[in-house]
Amino acid sequence: WVSPVAWRGWYELIYALGAFIFFWVVVNHVRTRAHLWVLIATALSPLGYAMALAAYQFFQRPGALASSSAAYALQLSPKFLGQATGCFADPSSLVVCLLVVLPVLLVFGAVPRLATSLRLLSLYIAFMLLGAILFAQVFWSIGVLLVVVALLPWLCFLRPVQRRGFSLLGVLLLAAVLLLLALGVPQFGAQASVALSHEGEAVRAILWPEALRMVSTAPLTGVGAGGFAATFAQSPAVSLADLPITPHNDYLLLVSQYGIVGLLLFLGPSVWVLWRAGREWRAAHAEQRRSGVNKKISSA
């Protein structure tokens, strides 16, 4: 209702309602393991196909897309040719989806709570996810991967020697894989050159300041749902050949379109759930210590 582009605002409302329904079900109706497994299977079901298609795009057909549900053949945008996109038609969306799941699988494989077979399966799937991320050739994800492999051992192990050792090992292994790709796959170097230009990932240097300028003009309510592209097109300061739909940053997109009020409404429920979860974990840990059970609860 408060948007310079009403039809985009309706799309944003539909997305928000879908996210709220999923959030509500997770918070209020997951009472059994069966409920939890249904939600997990629903959320992760696209991953297998996305990874398989990413490998097919990288090695066989760079322009292949998931077009079985369309009445016509879908074409990949020319600027993404050579990058794996999975079933998302956008490499960044594929990478974000896989990065959400990758740390969980690494924790499952590292922490000695599951059976050995399940731990090995988790690590195997994690390596496939890592391969799909690298096939996408989205270079900001490399920084995220370095942070993930460096910090996860500090959440999985209690002994400082194990934490430092596995953190260093993870960083070295990832660096070795990246070095091999840079030396053995020429298209990685070409994609890196594109990423450093305004036609690639460096475009954020233009989009982020403009998003912050939008926030400064309407800090409380933002420019309106779906209004980032329309407001950017009218900017007197910057312009691009291709009109961006988002600033390539979800938080800046939220605060620029919905203002501080919208950002708080979005983050509030998640922060509340995390706070409650932390309080319950501390209470369970304290109860275990009082009961004298000779077990340790790792921070993972």
Side-chain angles (χ1 to χ4, degrees):
W1 294 303
V2 183
S3 172
V5 190
W7 66 273
R8 288 194 183 276
W10 281 108
Y11 276 106
E12 296 278 348
L13 178 62
I14 293 171
Y15 294 149
L17 288 176
F20 174 76
I21 291 171
F22 191 86
F23 179 82
W24 182 265
V25 171
V26 169
V27 172
N28 293 283
H29 297 285
V30 180
R31 304 298 183 186
T32 67
R33 290 187 176 183
H35 293 159
L36 182 61
W37 278 112
V38 167
L39 286 175
I40 291 175
T42 302
L44 301 186
S45 56
L47 286 184
Y49 184 61
M51 288 188 293
L53 186 56
Y56 183 66
Q57 291 167 330
F58 185 78
F59 292 107
Q60 298 292 331
R61 289 181 56 195
L65 270 177
S67 51
S68 59
S69 60
Y72 51 88
L74 299 177
Q75 299 296 322
L76 184 66
S77 173
K79 66 180 179 180
F80 295 143
L81 285 176
Q83 296 178 265
T85 64
C87 51
F88 293 91
D90 171 44
S92 292
S93 298
L94 171 67
V95 166
V96 169
C97 180
L98 300 181
L99 282 174
V100 170
V101 185
L102 179 63
V104 179
L105 290 169
L106 290 176
V107 169
F108 285 170
V111 177
R113 289 190 174 187
L114 298 177
T116 303
S117 58
L118 292 177
R119 293 175 64 190
L120 291 175
L121 176 62
S122 297
L123 290 175
Y124 175 68
I125 298 174
F127 285 130
M128 288 197 296
L129 291 175
L130 178 61
I133 291 172
L134 295 176
F135 293 158
Q137 302 169 76
V138 177
F139 289 92
W140 62 259
S141 65
I142 294 175
V144 178
L145 286 172
L146 287 171
V147 172
V148 168
V149 298
L151 292 184
L152 275 183
W154 296 84
L155 301 175
C156 297
F157 304 103
L158 294 175
R159 296 172 57 189
V161 174
Q162 289 179 311
R163 290 174 170 178
R164 289 192 292 266
F166 281 106
S167 179
L168 179 61
L169 179 63
V171 172
L172 290 177
L173 287 176
L174 180 59
V177 170
L178 294 173
L179 180 61
L180 289 174
L181 289 174
L183 296 176
V185 184
Q187 69 188 63
F188 270 83
Q191 289 294 344
S193 300
V194 174
L196 294 175
S197 68
H198 286 166
E199 285 75 27
E201 298 172 40
V203 74
R204 289 174 172 83
I206 296 176
L207 299 179
W208 289 5
E210 187 62 19
L212 292 173
R213 190 191 66 80
M214 296 180 194
V215 175
S216 66
T217 58
L220 290 180
T221 59
V223 298
F228 177 84
T231 307
F232 186 92
Q234 300 171 8
S235 171
V238 295
S239 63
L240 292 171
D242 297 324
L243 182 63
I245 305 299
T246 76
H248 297 298
N249 182 290
D250 287 339
Y251 297 103
L252 283 178
L253 179 64
L254 280 167
V255 74
S256 64
Q257 293 192 154
Y258 301 103
I260 297 174
V261 174
L263 186 65
L264 292 177
L265 289 174
F266 176 79
L267 292 178
S270 300
V271 172
W272 176 76
V273 169
L274 290 174
W275 175 76
R276 288 288 302 273
R279 191 176 69 172
E280 294 290 339
W281 182 88
R282 288 191 296 271
H285 188 75
E287 179 62 28
Q288 185 188 45
R289 296 182 62 181
R290 284 195 297 270
S291 63
V293 178
N294 187 23
K295 291 183 179 179
K296 294 180 180 180
I297 300 178
S298 72
S299 58

